[in-house]
Amino acid sequence: MKLLRFGAKGAEKPGLLHEDGTIRDLSGVIDDLAGESLHPDGLAKIAATDAGSLPVVDGDPRLGPPIAGTGKFICIGLNYSDHAAETGATVPPEPIIFMKATSAICGPNDPIVIPRGSKKTDWEVELAVVIGKPAKYVSEDQAMDHVAGFAITNDVSERAFQAERQGQWTKGKSCDNFGQIGPWLVTPDEVADPQDLPMWLTVNGEAMQNGTSATMVYGVRFLVSYLSQFMTLHPGDVISTGTPPGVGLGMSPQRFLKEGDVVELGIKGLGQQRQDVISDA
């Protein structure tokens, strides 16, 4: 299934993408794509619904983030061997973990907002893993039992805030509209192998990133298991798993976003996003 949320910011309704290409309204079946609805039993309930009988959503509504109630937005740094190489970093012996504020979360086509004082706002196409069932001390063999699905994220990053302003990376990762998620939450039955997904990103139509999740250092199963050793993962939690090469930071000369740019990105089978770049002047 391809699950989504549509409508004005803060007033989104749950829906799904029907096989005929229409958006169908799920609000008569579930309250939202959050909590118990993301549990395997909740997803089974949605799957058992006759999608063709659900109301068609007219027009071209705004898409919000495809899940609600995210308590943790966990990111993995330097998790692609080729991305680590382009930034001159060494692949870490264990995953680098940092948090992105949940207030950064927005819809897949909502704008990238360059924050005040920014000189180095950058892009990062990433595969997101969404938790559906609480996970604590789970093994790699059990990990996928706790995954509700996959989505695209743009882990927008302000590199000067991240690396030149002291402290942890969080301040460069958490600005408003620095966490586009969607367009859909794609359930695991539609993703044959999360470690074999081509992904891409362009700026103003120019190819910047063209990679694959095959070059991930630490894969999805490992990450879910690893993180669950340190904290309980709850339904709606998002794990953004790292980015392939082609970010502005790694270019020579470096290149960063400016007002008026257009960023487009996608992952095979998970859809694509489009964002106008605006300034928080």
Side-chain angles (χ1 to χ4, degrees), residues 113-159:
V113 181
I114 297 177
R116 292 182 185 180
S118 169
K119 302 292 186 184
K120 298 182 179 181
T121 297
D122 205 348
W123 56 83
E124 294 190 13
V125 59
E126 303 202 5
L127 171 66
V129 181
V130 177
I131 299 299
K133 177 182 175 183
K136 184 175 184 178
Y137 302 132
V138 300
S139 67
E140 287 188 56
D141 290 343
Q142 299 170 321
M144 287 305 298
D145 296 339
H146 299 264
V147 173
F150 302 94
I152 304 167
T153 56
N154 191 355
D155 177 22
V156 184
S157 308
E158 211 301 335
R159 302 301 188 184

Side-chain angles (χ1 to χ4, degrees), residues 67 70-75 99 105 127-131 151 153 181 227 233-241:
I67 37 90
T70 296
K72 294 188 286 295
F73 195 166
I74 308 167
C75 298
M99 295 291 193
I105 294 174
L127 171 66
V129 181
V130 177
I131 299 299
T153 56
I181 305 178
L227 291 169
L233 303 175
H234 295 284
D237 285 352
V238 174
I239 306 168
S240 200
T241 57

Side-chain angles (χ1 to χ4, degrees), residues 33-40 42-43 66-68 130-133 147-148 185 235-236:
L33 284 164
E36 293 182 358
S37 296
L38 299 172
H39 187 279
L43 293 176
I67 37 90
V130 177
I131 299 299
K133 177 182 175 183
V147 173
L185 173 68

